[in-house]
Amino acid sequence: MVRAKARVVKIDVDKYLCKGCYICVDKCPTKVFEVSNVIGDYGAFLPEARHIEKCIDCGICELYCPDYAITIVRGDGE
Amino acid sequence: MNPLIQRYLRSEYAQGKRRTIFCPGCGNGIILGYFVRAIDELKREGKFDDSRLYIVTGIGCSGNTPIPLKYNIVRALHGRALSVATGIKLVRPDAEVVVFAGDGDLLSIGGNHFIHTIRRNVGVKVILINNMLYGMTGGQVAPTTPINAITHTTPYGNPEPPLDACKLAVSLGATYVARWTVALARQCIQSIKELLLHKGFGLLECLSQCPVYQGRYVIGVDRPSKIMDYYLRITEISSEPRYGEKITIGKFADYEKPTYEEIVWSMISKVGRVMHGEG
């Protein structure tokens, strides 16, 4: 029996807190993040979770973020 | 803002109205995240009471690390963080005292206090953030800078061999010594948990990145993730501390012996009994 795992619906990047170090972009093992054209409040291009379907929910972006800007939003896979 | 971290931050930081003061990609913020997660895991397991937590910091970028936290924080003089922590621990032996210090703060200016705190085995927990130079003042050479590394004050290469904090601590008889890098998240969190539950003196050295000065001068890349990869390349797991071409990481010492505050307080009660009996 396969247990239903909570799926990642969204990875939220805080527009005010992100300083644009791009650790999440480089360190993601499945390359979910991409640098977008949106400029945040600090003056850097914000990373964006564009390929959310590739996410394996390892949580490395949340752990490595030095400014606590990233929140992984998990939902029950319906 | 991350809701897990948000519960441990104070007013403006928790409301998301103020950022940490570090440069983009600084390792101090990552280590503070690991510290908060370690406290959160210990509290959920019911092993740790954070109402008696005191944090003492030195001067430098690493001294700014615990500032967003909602705990009692003392900023000591340059290099004298361990002396202030010893005082707090002696007056309140049941308190948990954690020291955040950088490599220049703890090993160069506070080197004397470092040696004698380990010798006495005071029960303070030290998180040493090692970024291999003085980051706040512009990238000058520090005791932990590798040999031949280029910094602001050694433009033709560093002529001095580096100091290994873990080897020094092990040789002086520190009861918990470990070294990890910021790139190893689970190991760092596990080590901070062990450190907080430990009884005597504990030292965790965390190899951290300073993308602006260490990255550009010492290593040669300024992308924070590339510096984390570099740390994974130059480190290897071992049970013996070494700090040269290859830096060894792992847990180097973990045992228990009588602490300074226990000895002092048993002496105070003994002397008080004698005086009372005679008078």
Side-chain angles (χ1 to χ4, degrees):
Chain A
M1 178 185 147
V2 182
R3 205 171 52 146
K5 212 178 154 200
R7 241 174 77 245
V8 175
V9 257
K10 189 171 154 234
I11 299 178
D12 181 49
V13 179
D14 196 305
K15 188 166 169 284
Y16 178 78
L17 290 173
C18 180
K19 289 177 186 166
C21 65
Y22 306 131
I23 289 178
C24 48
V25 177
D26 294 352
K27 280 289 184 180
C28 179
T30 54
K31 301 274 173 281
V32 169
F33 285 91
E34 260 180 43
V35 182
S36 69
N37 290 325
V38 186
I39 298 178
D41 290 358
Y42 196 74
F45 289 111
L46 292 176
E48 188 190 0
R50 210 169 276 171
H51 310 289
I52 193 74
E53 71 282 352
K54 284 201 274 185
C55 182
I56 55 170
D57 198 3
C58 63
I60 207 98
C61 48
E62 220 181 26
L63 272 173
Y64 276 160
C65 183
D67 301 294
Y68 327 118
I70 294 179
T71 314
I72 300 177
V73 183
R74 296 181 179 88
D76 43 351
E78 61 260 37
Chain B
M1 170 154 237
N2 196 326
L4 191 154
I5 307 280
Q6 192 174 20
R7 274 186 278 141
Y8 292 88
L9 303 186
R10 64 184 173 85
S11 49
E12 300 102 332
Y13 295 98
Q15 291 161 15
K17 288 180 187 164
R18 201 192 274 188
R19 305 177 190 95
T20 54
I21 69 157
F22 310 122
C23 309
C26 182
N28 292 355
I30 306 179
I31 291 169
L32 183 62
Y34 295 165
F35 184 70
V36 168
R37 284 183 176 90
I39 287 181
D40 188 67
E41 286 180 20
L42 283 177
K43 270 177 78 177
R44 243 184 291 141
E45 290 164 17
K47 290 179 188 163
F48 187 72
D49 177 19
D50 68 343
S51 63
R52 289 180 290 110
L53 180 67
Y54 294 82
I55 299 176
V56 186
T57 75
I59 301 294
C61 283
S62 56
N64 289 321
T65 308
I67 296 301
L69 292 182
K70 63 173 184 182
Y71 299 116
N72 306 307
I73 296 163
V74 183
R75 294 212 61 177
L77 286 176
H78 202 345
R80 273 68 180 161
L82 281 175
S83 311
V84 176
T86 305
I88 295 173
K89 189 72 185 173
L90 280 182
V91 174
R92 298 191 176 166
D94 58 338
E96 198 66 49
V97 185
V98 177
V99 175
F100 278 86
D103 52 334
D105 183 57
L106 195 74
L107 300 175
S108 167
I109 296 154
N112 184 17
H113 302 286
F114 182 64
I115 293 170
H116 291 286
T117 312
I118 299 176
R119 179 174 64 89
R120 293 177 189 130
N121 194 22
V122 186
V124 300
K125 318 290 153 46
V126 182
I127 297 175
L128 167 61
I129 301 168
N130 181 359
N131 60 2
M132 295 183 170
L133 40 69
Y134 288 86
M136 185 178 253
T137 49
Q140 287 87 0
V141 69
T144 47
T145 310
I147 197 159
N148 291 329
I150 293 170
T151 67
H152 210 113
T153 45
T154 56
Y156 305 108
N158 180 19
E160 307 162 4
L163 170 73
D164 187 346
C166 287
K167 202 169 185 174
L168 180 66
V170 167
S171 68
L172 287 164
T175 50
Y176 184 93
V177 182
R179 172 159 53 207
W180 297 105
T181 83
V182 282
L184 299 167
R186 282 322 309 178
Q187 286 90 333
C188 269
I189 294 174
Q190 184 61 33
S191 200
I192 293 172
K193 281 167 73 179
E194 286 174 14
L195 196 70
L196 289 172
L197 296 176
H198 190 73
K199 208 177 74 170
F201 183 90
L203 171 73
L204 166 66
E205 182 181 353
C206 211
L207 294 171
S208 157
Q209 74 262 21
C210 170
V212 177
Y213 291 112
Q214 180 213 20
R216 285 190 307 166
Y217 291 152
V218 178
I219 295 169
V221 284
D222 66 345
R223 190 123 171 147
S225 56
K226 294 278 188 306
I227 306 174
M228 288 161 96
D229 291 344
Y230 169 81
Y231 271 138
L232 290 178
R233 228 172 24 249
I234 63 160
T235 49
E236 59 185 10
I237 301 263
S238 169
S239 59
E240 197 175 315
R242 249 178 298 125
Y243 196 95
E245 196 86 340
K246 282 262 179 189
I247 299 173
T248 57
I249 52 175
K251 191 157 77 176
F252 304 125
D254 191 2
Y255 65 99
E256 287 199 352
K257 64 180 184 186
T259 61
Y260 184 55
E261 64 270 11
E262 281 176 1
I263 296 170
V264 165
W265 276 96
S266 71
M267 190 177 284
I268 287 172
S269 61
K270 197 173 76 189
V271 172
R273 250 196 336 267
V274 169
M275 301 266 281
H276 196 71
E278 281 176 1

